[in-house]
Amino acid sequence: MEVRVSNVRKEFDRFPALRDVSLDIKSGELIALLGPSGSGKTTLLRLIAGLERPTRGTIFFGDEDASNRTIQERNVGFVFQHYALFRHMTVADNIGFGLKVRPSAKRPTRAEIRRRASELLDLVQLSGLEKRYPAQLSGGQRQRVALARAMAIEPRVLLLDEPFGALDAQVRRELRRWLREIHDATGHTTIFVTHDQEEALELADRVVVMSQGRIEQIGTADEVYDTPNSPFVYGFIGESSSLPVKVEDGQVWIADRPIGLAAPELTDGEATLYFRPHDIELLDECNGCIAGTVAASRRVAGTRRVELEIGGGRERVEIELPVGHPAAQKSRVAFRPKRWKVFPKVVE
Amino acid sequence: MADPELYPADAYHEHASLAVTERPLARAGLMFVAFAFLAIFLLLPLVVVFEQAFSRGIGAFLEAINEHDTIAAIKLTLLVAVISVPLNLVFGVAAAWAIAKFEFKGKAFLTTLIDLPFSVSPVISGLVYVLLFGASSLLGPWLKMHGIVILFAVPGIVLATVFVTFPFVARELIPLMQEQGTGDEEAALSLGANGWQTFWHVTLPNIKWGLLYGVLLCNARAMGEFGAVSVVSGHIRGMTNTMPLHVEILYNEYNAVGAFAVASVLAGLALVTLVLKTLLELRYGAEIAATRGH
């Protein structure tokens, strides 16, 4: 099922939680809504589910305008951050609930519901736990049951709100891989909300980066990581270094020296240069480079992070060097970012 | 939940519980004070009630009970409870639902309103009904014209009882429902359940123990209410006297055995309620703990 969000705005008590958001999701895609808290990602998910109504804009399921459909009519599977399992029902009853409450014409028989529940339990690798109560399960198991329950109604879209947020790191990684497998096996269009970039980049076909009620960038993990399109995405995803620069004559300058980066499409003026600490080349001679003195150096896993003072100590940037690299020992290092972007200074 | 026995292997909790545990002497002292207080102020009066009721033997007791006016009072009390408790069950659930699960203007006002019967003296509540439905009130002539009798009759007694016992169910449910939030309901709706199915299969099972407590307390008060009922009842013997009112009349007539016999029946009804509650707690203790959040 394709899902199309078109110019949606949502206000709570006149405070905008989403401002004019548009998003196209292809059938069978696994999409991550990624952003810090307050970015509107959960609001967007709840709007798609029908748990909230948009203040303005339209949500399409396929070609059908679903904006005024109730959550029941939309037939979506929703997995809640804190599972929201019915604690007085067994695992099997939880999974069968969506089938049991169907109008009698469309309701499967008791035996059929039971069969379907244990089939789904097999799928989420919890066979044999039919008779348990939610309180008798671990967090990871509860989340699997919640997913099985959501899938039992054969939803058109699967929506997950911070599905692994309440779990510890180990279980999280395991469930992440497992969710990908389930998605590939069942082919549901799936949208999940997360604030964990690692989770989003590893799991999703495409990542929607959100901030302050707006979509900053939509793209594959490679696209949003390698070519961030805004200072926010640079700062939020992965690590980045930034330096205040000046653009003049299509060149990027630091203080009174050009640093060998051409920016012909930018207008002259104050700007900020962004690059990834590992995406640099070290230079022996400096004709157009960023040069600085080593202020601090620390070992990070397989590499070394070096903090450089640029331009007499006013600014500091971090770059990454191989551990054994001789430049790491030198007091003066010259480099040039390989992949970078310059954003004009925003006048506030 | 903080019971240290639940975490036998957890050294941290053992330390924590040791640190906050009083010395044996202090513990014994506290327990003595609590038990002595309960014995003097609660248990002793109860014993006296039964002792007085049976002071002239079981025959006199049965005779006092088996009197026409007394039986009428018992019947009326049960009737009032049977009408007002279900009403407050419905009102209480509706009010708690509205307050705990929705955001709306005037919510704080509604919460205060629910507490009103607790904060106002029952006598005043009764007087309000007299002002509303009395012969000299605005509604009085209209009611008289249509032959509707509210004051000094069963409807007035029921209304006064409903008013006084309204907060019990709502007060019990509001914190419980607020704590549980709307997650379960949203999950049920997303699975295709309609509003009624959601309430019946999800909300009600989640609140059933709180609801039961509220109903039991409401029932105990409905049977025992004196002040408000006294104002609106008119004290017509064998007609509009509930058990508490009947006890007072008998007592004022120096019929000690009669008064205490009826009082002991009333106390017995309350005790049955309490025993029922305790039994349920013993039987379903684990489930109650589970539905109070895991």
Side-chain angles (χ1 to χ4, degrees), chain A residues 291-314:
Chain A
T293 24
V294 176
S297 158
R298 60 197 162 90
R299 173 73 183 252
V300 179
T303 61
R304 192 175 290 282
R305 283 294 171 84
V306 178
E307 211 172 293
L308 297 179
E309 282 182 354
I310 310 284
R314 279 177 302 128

mmCIF file of all heavy atoms in Angstrom, chain A residues 291-314:
data_model
loop_
_atom_site.group_PDB
_atom_site.id
_atom_site.type_symbol
_atom_site.label_atom_id
_atom_site.label_comp_id
_atom_site.label_asym_id
_atom_site.label_seq_id
_atom_site.Cartn_x
_atom_site.Cartn_y
_atom_site.Cartn_z
ATOM 1 N N ALA A 291 44.928 24.507 7.964
ATOM 2 C CA ALA A 291 46.074 24.116 8.767
ATOM 3 C C ALA A 291 45.805 24.472 10.215
ATOM 4 O O ALA A 291 45.167 25.482 10.504
ATOM 5 C CB ALA A 291 47.331 24.824 8.274
ATOM 6 N N GLY A 292 46.302 23.608 11.108
ATOM 7 C CA GLY A 292 46.084 23.902 12.512
ATOM 8 C C GLY A 292 47.096 23.192 13.376
ATOM 9 O O GLY A 292 47.826 22.306 12.917
ATOM 10 N N THR A 293 47.137 23.578 14.629
ATOM 11 C CA THR A 293 48.023 22.926 15.577
ATOM 12 C C THR A 293 47.226 21.931 16.406
ATOM 13 O O THR A 293 46.086 22.198 16.773
ATOM 14 C CB THR A 293 48.676 23.940 16.540
ATOM 15 O OG1 THR A 293 47.836 25.079 16.587
ATOM 16 C CG2 THR A 293 50.057 24.319 16.091
ATOM 17 N N VAL A 294 47.897 20.804 16.693
ATOM 18 C CA VAL A 294 47.215 19.756 17.453
ATOM 19 C C VAL A 294 47.007 20.227 18.889
ATOM 20 O O VAL A 294 47.957 20.585 19.581
ATOM 21 C CB VAL A 294 48.039 18.457 17.436
ATOM 22 C CG1 VAL A 294 47.381 17.404 18.318
ATOM 23 C CG2 VAL A 294 48.195 17.949 16.015
ATOM 24 N N ALA A 295 45.761 20.257 19.325
ATOM 25 C CA ALA A 295 45.464 20.697 20.687
ATOM 26 C C ALA A 295 45.207 19.502 21.591
ATOM 27 O O ALA A 295 45.524 19.523 22.769
ATOM 28 C CB ALA A 295 44.248 21.617 20.682
ATOM 29 N N ALA A 296 44.629 18.476 21.017
ATOM 30 C CA ALA A 296 44.338 17.289 21.813
ATOM 31 C C ALA A 296 44.237 16.104 20.877
ATOM 32 O O ALA A 296 43.948 16.266 19.688
ATOM 33 C CB ALA A 296 43.035 17.457 22.576
ATOM 34 N N SER A 297 44.503 14.944 21.412
ATOM 35 C CA SER A 297 44.452 13.758 20.577
ATOM 36 C C SER A 297 43.929 12.621 21.431
ATOM 37 O O SER A 297 44.331 12.453 22.570
ATOM 38 C CB SER A 297 45.861 13.466 20.068
ATOM 39 O OG SER A 297 45.977 12.116 19.699
ATOM 40 N N ARG A 298 42.984 11.867 20.915
ATOM 41 C CA ARG A 298 42.489 10.749 21.711
ATOM 42 C C ARG A 298 42.220 9.557 20.821
ATOM 43 O O ARG A 298 41.922 9.683 19.641
ATOM 44 C CB ARG A 298 41.247 11.148 22.512
ATOM 45 C CG ARG A 298 40.097 11.590 21.686
ATOM 46 C CD ARG A 298 39.081 12.351 22.520
ATOM 47 N NE ARG A 298 38.225 13.105 21.644
ATOM 48 C CZ ARG A 298 37.087 12.627 21.127
ATOM 49 N NH1 ARG A 298 36.690 11.413 21.425
ATOM 50 N NH2 ARG A 298 36.363 13.356 20.314
ATOM 51 N N ARG A 299 42.334 8.411 21.417
ATOM 52 C CA ARG A 299 42.167 7.175 20.683
ATOM 53 C C ARG A 299 40.686 6.791 20.706
ATOM 54 O O ARG A 299 40.098 6.708 21.773
ATOM 55 C CB ARG A 299 43.006 6.099 21.378
ATOM 56 C CG ARG A 299 42.830 4.714 20.864
ATOM 57 C CD ARG A 299 43.496 4.566 19.507
ATOM 58 N NE ARG A 299 43.267 3.226 18.989
ATOM 59 C CZ ARG A 299 44.205 2.301 18.908
ATOM 60 N NH1 ARG A 299 45.435 2.566 19.293
ATOM 61 N NH2 ARG A 299 43.922 1.105 18.419
ATOM 62 N N VAL A 300 40.105 6.585 19.525
ATOM 63 C CA VAL A 300 38.719 6.132 19.460
ATOM 64 C C VAL A 300 38.680 4.855 18.645
ATOM 65 O O VAL A 300 38.866 4.873 17.439
ATOM 66 C CB VAL A 300 37.797 7.197 18.813
ATOM 67 C CG1 VAL A 300 36.370 6.675 18.737
ATOM 68 C CG2 VAL A 300 37.860 8.493 19.586
ATOM 69 N N ALA A 301 38.493 3.748 19.317
ATOM 70 C CA ALA A 301 38.454 2.432 18.654
ATOM 71 C C ALA A 301 39.648 2.290 17.721
ATOM 72 O O ALA A 301 40.785 2.429 18.166
ATOM 73 C CB ALA A 301 37.137 2.240 17.931
ATOM 74 N N GLY A 302 39.415 2.098 16.431
ATOM 75 C CA GLY A 302 40.523 1.830 15.513
ATOM 76 C C GLY A 302 41.182 3.062 14.942
ATOM 77 O O GLY A 302 42.057 2.947 14.084
ATOM 78 N N THR A 303 40.773 4.227 15.382
ATOM 79 C CA THR A 303 41.354 5.433 14.784
ATOM 80 C C THR A 303 41.788 6.396 15.876
ATOM 81 O O THR A 303 41.625 6.134 17.056
ATOM 82 C CB THR A 303 40.314 6.158 13.904
ATOM 83 O OG1 THR A 303 39.229 6.533 14.736
ATOM 84 C CG2 THR A 303 39.818 5.287 12.780
ATOM 85 N N ARG A 304 42.333 7.498 15.436
ATOM 86 C CA ARG A 304 42.728 8.524 16.399
ATOM 87 C C ARG A 304 42.021 9.819 16.049
ATOM 88 O O ARG A 304 41.960 10.209 14.887
ATOM 89 C CB ARG A 304 44.246 8.720 16.350
ATOM 90 C CG ARG A 304 44.794 9.547 17.483
ATOM 91 C CD ARG A 304 46.300 9.593 17.449
ATOM 92 N NE ARG A 304 46.917 8.304 17.796
ATOM 93 C CZ ARG A 304 47.045 7.843 19.056
ATOM 94 N NH1 ARG A 304 46.600 8.558 20.066
ATOM 95 N NH2 ARG A 304 47.618 6.693 19.286
ATOM 96 N N ARG A 305 41.444 10.445 17.046
ATOM 97 C CA ARG A 305 40.783 11.723 16.833
ATOM 98 C C ARG A 305 41.720 12.834 17.257
ATOM 99 O O ARG A 305 42.246 12.827 18.369
ATOM 100 C CB ARG A 305 39.516 11.809 17.675
ATOM 101 C CG ARG A 305 38.358 11.033 17.132
ATOM 102 C CD ARG A 305 37.916 11.663 15.815
ATOM 103 N NE ARG A 305 36.935 10.816 15.167
ATOM 104 C CZ ARG A 305 35.641 10.858 15.451
ATOM 105 N NH1 ARG A 305 35.211 11.705 16.352
ATOM 106 N NH2 ARG A 305 34.811 10.063 14.829
ATOM 107 N N VAL A 306 41.935 13.761 16.355
ATOM 108 C CA VAL A 306 42.833 14.858 16.659
ATOM 109 C C VAL A 306 42.050 16.164 16.626
ATOM 110 O O VAL A 306 41.324 16.432 15.673
ATOM 111 C CB VAL A 306 43.987 14.903 15.631
ATOM 112 C CG1 VAL A 306 44.895 16.085 15.913
ATOM 113 C CG2 VAL A 306 44.773 13.613 15.665
ATOM 114 N N GLU A 307 42.232 16.933 17.663
ATOM 115 C CA GLU A 307 41.560 18.226 17.702
ATOM 116 C C GLU A 307 42.563 19.298 17.306
ATOM 117 O O GLU A 307 43.647 19.377 17.876
ATOM 118 C CB GLU A 307 41.051 18.472 19.122
ATOM 119 C CG GLU A 307 39.796 19.307 19.170
ATOM 120 C CD GLU A 307 39.241 19.341 20.573
ATOM 121 O OE1 GLU A 307 38.797 18.285 21.068
ATOM 122 O OE2 GLU A 307 39.305 20.415 21.181
ATOM 123 N N LEU A 308 42.172 20.074 16.310
ATOM 124 C CA LEU A 308 43.101 21.079 15.795
ATOM 125 C C LEU A 308 42.620 22.477 16.137
ATOM 126 O O LEU A 308 41.429 22.761 16.061
ATOM 127 C CB LEU A 308 43.201 20.972 14.269
ATOM 128 C CG LEU A 308 43.753 19.679 13.681
ATOM 129 C CD1 LEU A 308 43.750 19.770 12.163
ATOM 130 C CD2 LEU A 308 45.164 19.419 14.193
ATOM 131 N N GLU A 309 43.597 23.318 16.481
ATOM 132 C CA GLU A 309 43.263 24.737 16.645
ATOM 133 C C GLU A 309 43.545 25.427 15.332
ATOM 134 O O GLU A 309 44.637 25.320 14.772
ATOM 135 C CB GLU A 309 44.125 25.362 17.744
ATOM 136 C CG GLU A 309 43.633 25.020 19.117
ATOM 137 C CD GLU A 309 44.475 25.683 20.200
ATOM 138 O OE1 GLU A 309 45.502 26.306 19.860
ATOM 139 O OE2 GLU A 309 44.103 25.554 21.375
ATOM 140 N N ILE A 310 42.562 26.118 14.842
ATOM 141 C CA ILE A 310 42.707 26.782 13.552
ATOM 142 C C ILE A 310 42.779 28.282 13.783
ATOM 143 O O ILE A 310 42.032 28.829 14.618
ATOM 144 C CB ILE A 310 41.479 26.487 12.658
ATOM 145 C CG1 ILE A 310 41.178 24.984 12.613
ATOM 146 C CG2 ILE A 310 41.655 27.068 11.264
ATOM 147 C CD1 ILE A 310 42.088 24.181 11.763
ATOM 148 N N GLY A 311 43.660 28.929 13.014
ATOM 149 C CA GLY A 311 43.695 30.396 13.026
ATOM 150 C C GLY A 311 43.982 30.958 14.401
ATOM 151 O O GLY A 311 43.220 31.783 14.891
ATOM 152 N N GLY A 312 45.031 30.453 15.030
ATOM 153 C CA GLY A 312 45.455 31.041 16.297
ATOM 154 C C GLY A 312 44.537 30.691 17.451
ATOM 155 O O GLY A 312 44.395 31.464 18.391
ATOM 156 N N GLY A 313 43.895 29.545 17.367
ATOM 157 C CA GLY A 313 43.171 29.036 18.537
ATOM 158 C C GLY A 313 41.766 29.553 18.692
ATOM 159 O O GLY A 313 41.102 29.270 19.664
ATOM 160 N N ARG A 314 41.277 30.302 17.717
ATOM 161 C CA ARG A 314 39.918 30.801 17.879
ATOM 162 C C ARG A 314 38.882 29.698 17.618
ATOM 163 O O ARG A 314 37.847 29.668 18.230
ATOM 164 C CB ARG A 314 39.668 31.984 16.944
ATOM 165 C CG ARG A 314 40.230 33.287 17.505
ATOM 166 C CD ARG A 314 40.024 34.417 16.518
ATOM 167 N NE ARG A 314 40.666 34.104 15.241
ATOM 168 C CZ ARG A 314 40.059 34.167 14.068
ATOM 169 N NH1 ARG A 314 38.801 34.518 14.007
ATOM 170 N NH2 ARG A 314 40.709 33.884 12.957
#
